[in-house]
Amino acid sequence: MAIQTQNPATEEIIKTFEPHSDAQVDLAIAKSVVAHQELRNWPIEERAKHMRAAAKILRDEAEGLAKIITLEMGKTYLAAIAEVKKCAVGAEYYADKASEHLSDEIVKTEAKKSYRKYLPLGPVLAVMPWNYPIWQVIRFAAPALMAGNTGLLKHASNVPQCALYIEDIFKRAGFPDGAFQTLLVGGAKVERILRDERVRAATLTGSEPAGASVASICGEEIKPTVLELGGSDAFIIMPSADIEKAVETGTTARTQNNGQSCIAAKRFFVHTDIYEDVKARMKASFEALKVGDPMKKDTDIGPLVNKGSYEEISAQVDNALKDGAIRVTGAEKRGGKGFFFTPGILENISKDSKAYHEEIFGPVALLFKVQNLDEAITIANSSPFGLSSAIFTNEADEQEKAINELEAGGTFVNAMSGSNPHLPFGGIKRSGYGRELAAEGIRAFCNIKTVYIA
Ligand code: NAP
């Protein structure tokens, strides 16, 4: 895949970048090693000072950076500004909390003193996707650098300007030269980097095949990995719910980021008693969304990221319809220039249809009518994925049952799934393993050393 900026709203190729050569990559890894030696010896407060400086740059430059995000991947400008501001919050979270998460933990044993100590590992490769092109990177980079690791970013090939901007932010924030570097390389070059013994660990956010490839190479190399992969999250609505709030939240949960979010609500399980009401309200809510120029402030939905995705989602919808699904509204190409796809809803999804099990990474909601919560949970758990989940109900026993029985890395009650620096984030089953954010996120790439002093 060429490393280039293509505006998905106009299909215009804006800029193409020369990929880094193997020699350039090797030099970057060497710099990363040297930077790690320096950063690991910085007191944590020194690291925090520079992480706060990075947060300030993100806040000060949110509008300019947001324009680049929208240009490269098509999310609305307002959503892009919100993303950059969230990154500032994430960076500040780790500036404030790293010392607490990484302080020695005394454990009483027969020793004079014994404790857990959190030490950095060294250079970590981060393979990242384009859908939240700054947030996905910051949620890796902020804890990694605060722990004293260094970062090598292999970003998605369609967001090179975002990738270079992030490198520049950490440079300007005063981190050691080489502490965070962008490698402009395609996916095919990842294996060579992973096999380099100087690279100590890897994290990948993206699709299952990419995750499986990185994990198997790292398995051979015996290197730790964190994988944040796809999802097909359940969103359950029960009769006791505030239906208006559930529909409004569900619409946002399915369509935000132009429908391209891993933790989007993708499958809606609605109790039979309220099914027709919910369907009618969701239809109205989806039809009210304005599709168009993502730079305009009154646009709700911009284009899909690229032609491949546009064709793939359209084919997924066509296949589901062929298998008996019914179109409630939308879910079709808008036509004309740009990869615009109308947000839509399908119902009556056949169990034998691929759509029943696969992830649709675009603004298409699948509606399922269920007789009770048990049925909702059974179908929800039949998915190979287990990223997050949500339920709208005001019955305490239903809330408890969903929390206990939904097979997912998170359950949100009367709210949509989201990521929050204070809480761990990650999935189970084919959605990946390991956790980002919170204490788990910063400890993921630490040597949790046992210290025993007799
Ligand atoms: P993708 O194709 O897997 O791309 C993600 C990253 O992996 C890119 O940097 C890509 O590089 C690289 N890559 C692709 N194939 C690779 C391989 N064989 N070896 C090494 N690296 C490889 O993912 P996508 O389709 O763009 O992103 C959408 C997917 O990501 C969805 O499934 C979504 O649910 C998931 N996602 C998950 C999370 C989460 O937190 N769980 C968050 C966001 C997205 P190139 O661009 O150069 O190909």
Side-chain angles (χ1 to χ4, degrees):
M1 198 190 280
I3 298 176
Q4 64 185 22
T5 301
Q6 178 182 27
N7 182 349
T10 62
E11 302 183 33
E12 187 190 352
I13 309 254
I14 308 288
K15 203 168 177 183
T16 300
F17 292 76
E18 193 59 38
H20 287 165
S21 65
D22 289 351
Q24 283 173 301
V25 169
D26 288 346
L27 190 63
I29 298 173
K31 275 173 76 175
S32 193
V33 171
V34 172
H36 169 59
Q37 290 313 323
E38 186 178 347
L39 193 58
R40 74 192 305 274
N41 289 313
W42 277 15
I44 211 148
E45 263 321 307
E46 181 71 10
R47 293 178 207 157
K49 188 177 98 190
H50 295 286
M51 192 53 71
R52 286 193 192 98
K56 182 169 184 327
I57 296 172
L58 284 159
R59 259 187 234 293
D60 290 349
E61 299 178 13
E63 294 187 359
L65 180 50
K67 280 189 187 136
I68 298 173
I69 296 174
T70 300
L71 176 76
E72 292 202 302
M73 55 67 66
K75 77 171 61 184
T76 64
Y77 176 58
L78 290 183
I81 292 178
E83 177 179 337
V84 179
K85 289 188 174 163
K86 181 173 179 170
C87 291
V89 173
E92 281 160 355
Y93 169 85
Y94 278 111
D96 293 342
K97 289 281 189 179
S99 65
E100 180 187 323
H101 294 327
L102 300 182
S103 58
D104 296 349
E105 288 172 23
I106 301 286
V107 180
K108 268 196 179 310
T109 64
E110 68 287 354
K112 216 182 271 166
K113 188 177 178 186
S114 49
Y115 57 101
R116 282 187 193 86
K117 188 167 191 64
Y118 296 95
L119 293 168
L121 293 178
V124 182
L125 177 69
V127 182
M128 289 289 146
W130 47 265
N131 67 333
Y132 288 90
I134 308 298
W135 170 240
Q136 303 286 5
V137 177
I138 294 294
R139 81 181 186 186
F140 154 72
L145 294 173
M146 284 306 301
N149 293 306
T150 47
L152 292 161
L153 170 65
K154 181 266 172 281
H155 215 326
S157 293
N158 58 325
V159 288
Q161 297 192 47
C162 287
L164 292 166
Y165 206 109
I166 301 169
E167 177 183 76
D168 191 53
I169 287 174
F170 287 115
K171 227 180 251 169
R172 284 189 281 144
F175 279 94
D177 188 32
F180 191 88
Q181 298 172 82
T182 283
L183 307 174
L184 290 179
V185 292
K189 288 288 180 186
V190 167
E191 175 164 2
R192 185 175 174 277
I193 301 166
L194 292 173
R195 294 205 188 275
D196 191 308
E197 62 171 8
R198 296 169 296 178
V199 174
R200 295 296 167 87
T203 180
L204 179 137
T205 301
S207 62
E208 272 184 271
S213 167
V214 164
S216 61
I217 295 162
C218 286
E220 283 179 19
E221 298 295 331
I222 324 283
K223 291 183 184 180
T225 49
V226 169
L227 297 184
E228 298 283 0
L229 310 180
S232 189
D233 289 0
F235 189 102
I236 301 172
I237 311 176
M238 298 299 287
S240 67
D242 174 340
I243 306 286
E244 194 180 326
K245 186 172 169 219
V247 168
E248 188 192 321
T249 309
T251 303
T252 305
R254 176 58 285 203
T255 60
Q256 69 166 359
N257 214 39
N258 308 340
Q260 303 162 124
S261 168
C262 54
I263 47 165
K266 292 174 184 144
R267 296 174 300 149
F268 290 76
F269 300 99
V270 184
H271 191 279
T272 182
D273 292 352
I274 52 168
Y275 184 84
E276 290 305 327
D277 183 22
V278 167
K279 184 171 90 175
R281 289 178 193 237
M282 275 187 71
K283 179 173 184 290
S285 171
F286 271 53
E287 287 172 356
L289 293 169
K290 189 164 176 200
V291 181
D293 180 353
M295 282 307 296
K296 289 198 172 147
K297 291 195 172 157
D298 63 345
T299 296
D300 298 302
I301 311 267
L304 293 175
V305 67
N306 56 32
K307 191 163 177 59
S309 176
Y310 183 62
E311 296 302 342
E312 185 184 345
I313 288 152
S314 174
Q316 284 178 305
V317 169
D318 288 348
N319 286 334
L321 293 172
K322 252 185 243 145
D323 292 338
I326 297 167
R327 190 195 303 274
V328 176
T329 187
E332 48 202 345
K333 293 175 175 172
R334 193 188 70 168
K337 271 273 176 237
F339 308 121
F340 293 96
F341 198 84
T342 325
I345 303 170
L346 305 181
E347 65 173 350
N348 198 40
I349 316 301
S350 152
K351 218 174 180 170
D352 304 321
S353 172
K354 263 185 163 179
Y356 199 86
H357 301 288
E358 68 191 359
E359 176 184 33
I360 300 186
F361 209 58
V364 181
L366 305 183
L367 273 191
F368 296 82
K369 188 193 288 185
V370 292
Q371 299 304 316
N372 50 46
L373 183 55
D374 279 320
E375 188 185 359
I377 292 174
T378 302
I379 308 177
N381 288 348
S382 71
S383 167
F385 297 107
L387 194 50
S388 192
S389 57
I391 180 166
F392 274 70
T393 173
N394 284 308
E395 298 286 344
D397 55 336
E398 289 178 350
Q399 296 179 355
E400 203 52 33
K401 188 176 173 65
I403 292 165
N404 283 322
E405 295 183 18
L406 282 168
E407 293 173 357
T411 294
F412 288 68
V413 178
N414 296 328
M416 61 188 264
S417 295
S419 59
N420 177 332
H422 294 265
L423 290 166
F425 182 95
I428 59 171
K429 295 162 75 178
R430 298 192 78 83
S431 292
Y433 54 75
R435 291 291 179 267
E436 292 191 291
L437 299 175
E440 289 80 358
I442 196 165
R443 292 172 183 165
F445 294 118
C446 283
N447 168 15
I448 304 175
K449 183 177 264 192
T450 298
V451 182
Y452 185 100
I453 305 171

